[in-house]
Amino acid sequence: MRSCRMKKKDSELVSYLLVTAGTFFMAAGINIIYEPLSMVTGGFSGIGIILKKVLEAKGGFSLPVGVTNLFLNLPLFILAVRLKGGRFLKRTLYAALCFSVALLVVPSFENLHKDYLMAAIYGGVLNGVGLGLVFSRNTSTGGSDLLSTLLNHWFPGLSISELLIIIDGAIVLGGMFFFGMQTGMYSIVAVFITGKVSDALLDGLKFAKMAYIISDSPAKISEEVMRRLDRGVTGLNGKGMYSGKDKNVLLCVVSKKEVVRLIEIVKNADKNAFVIVMDAKEVQGEGFIEHSAGY
């Protein structure tokens, strides 16, 4: 029981560390790349960039993006508590606050080269890595993600993803209106890269390998896999249609780096074993990615 509690605490600590790192990656992309070039890629940070630039040009004073992000999120969290309950906010509140702090802490530099293509690439990578780390813990930084989730309560005919596209699309269009079509088009490129990088990161974290093993020595193979790899093995009932004999088919899921050792174990136990190795898109459970309540 104590060991389980320790593992849970360690997992929770890792989650918060990954979320923290992710928010700082995102803040670096916004403050160092997007904000100096007036590139609006959606989200409340995009609204913050628009307000900051417009106020600097019209009012002569600057409103930090992190402050705008924080104040826009506050009413959403209050509403979320009323609609969904406090548990709904579990990790999102921390992520949103951490993101706002990161936006205030990470310095912004004037970009003298104004290379929008490189900005879209590097900003997209930084934001993609940050989002991937945050999403890997099944949470978000609030903003348009949380807004779309709440709006779904009143507009159930539209999915959360559709509402998110509408909200972020409107913010990007606002950036085009204030800062020009060229900047807006490069912002869309940045959004595309962000999505691809975050998806690739998430796939890399969740991917595992699934092996089907057909052998005349299933007990020996199972024992060796459980002892040497510390992985569970499931026996399935099968039948060889050519031989007409009943067979035990072993099912085992391992990480990508353990595949070579698994095959070595199988071949040492039974050189005639038939092994099929496949990609497992997502694996949840002991020893693999644990999904905890994100909100």
Side-chain angles (χ1 to χ4, degrees), residues 49 66 77 79 97-98 114 124 140 148 154 159 165 189 197 207 210 214 220 230 235 246 277 279 293-294:
I49 292 173
F77 281 106
L79 183 60
L97 290 173
C98 193
K114 297 191 182 300
S140 77
S148 60
W154 291 288
S159 68
I165 290 171
V189 173
V197 172
F207 258 120
M210 178 173 65
I214 303 171
K220 184 177 180 181
D230 195 25
D246 291 333
V277 179
D279 285 328

Side-chain angles (χ1 to χ4, degrees), residues 40-59:
V40 177
T41 57
F44 284 2
S45 59
I47 297 175
I49 292 173
I50 294 174
L51 284 176
K52 181 178 181 181
K53 296 295 183 179
V54 170
L55 290 174
E56 284 176 348
K58 304 293 184 180

Side-chain angles (χ1 to χ4, degrees), residues 206-211 213 225-226 229-233 251-263 265 277-280 283 287-288:
K206 295 176 183 177
F207 258 120
K209 294 290 185 179
M210 178 173 65
I213 305 163
V225 170
M226 290 187 287
L229 291 183
D230 195 25
R231 293 294 186 188
V233 182
L251 171 63
C252 183
V253 179
V254 297
S255 66
K256 288 185 287 186
K257 65 183 179 182
E258 293 173 326
V259 172
V260 175
R261 290 182 62 197
L262 174 66
I263 294 175
I265 289 170
V277 179
M278 306 165 63
D279 285 328
V283 181
F288 293 94

Side-chain angles (χ1 to χ4, degrees), residues 39-244:
M39 294 178 67
V40 177
T41 57
F44 284 2
S45 59
I47 297 175
I49 292 173
I50 294 174
L51 284 176
K52 181 178 181 181
K53 296 295 183 179
V54 170
L55 290 174
E56 284 176 348
K58 304 293 184 180
F61 68 96
S62 179
L63 180 65
V65 177
V67 173
T68 302
N69 186 77
L70 181 62
F71 276 95
L72 288 176
N73 269 302
L74 281 176
L76 287 187
F77 281 106
I78 295 172
L79 183 60
V81 170
R82 295 185 63 180
L83 292 178
K84 304 288 187 178
R87 190 178 178 185
F88 176 76
L89 300 174
K90 185 178 179 183
R91 206 170 285 149
T92 303
L93 176 60
Y94 172 81
L97 290 173
C98 193
F99 184 42
S100 295
V101 170
L103 286 168
L104 293 171
V105 170
V106 175
S108 179
F109 304 100
E110 185 64 30
N111 195 316
L112 300 177
H113 299 290
K114 297 191 182 300
D115 188 334
Y116 287 94
L117 178 59
M118 294 306 295
I121 294 172
Y122 286 117
V125 170
L126 283 172
N127 253 23
V129 170
L131 279 174
L133 290 174
V134 173
F135 289 165
S136 73
R137 309 323 293 175
N138 200 25
T139 188
S140 77
T141 56
S144 54
D145 291 342
L146 182 55
L147 178 58
S148 60
T149 302
L150 295 176
L151 286 176
N152 181 251
H153 179 79
W154 291 288
F155 302 100
L158 293 173
S159 68
I160 293 175
S161 60
E162 288 171 338
L163 288 166
L164 182 61
I165 290 171
I166 292 171
I167 295 167
D168 281 343
I171 296 171
V172 172
L173 287 175
M176 285 186 181
F177 176 80
F178 284 104
F179 307 125
M181 181 65 71
Q182 181 185 18
T183 303
M185 295 304 292
Y186 280 112
S187 297
I188 294 173
V189 173
V191 171
F192 177 79
I193 294 172
T194 295
K196 289 297 182 182
V197 172
S198 62
D199 286 346
L201 181 62
L202 285 171
D203 285 343
L205 287 171
K206 295 176 183 177
F207 258 120
K209 294 290 185 179
M210 178 173 65
Y212 287 103
I213 305 163
I214 303 171
S215 169
D216 292 326
S217 305
K220 184 177 180 181
I221 292 173
S222 300
E223 182 182 345
E224 287 294 299
V225 170
M226 290 187 287
R227 182 177 66 84
R228 294 174 57 182
L229 291 183
D230 195 25
R231 293 294 186 188
V233 182
T234 301
L236 307 174
N237 293 323
K239 183 175 183 177
M241 299 308 295
Y242 179 78
S243 64

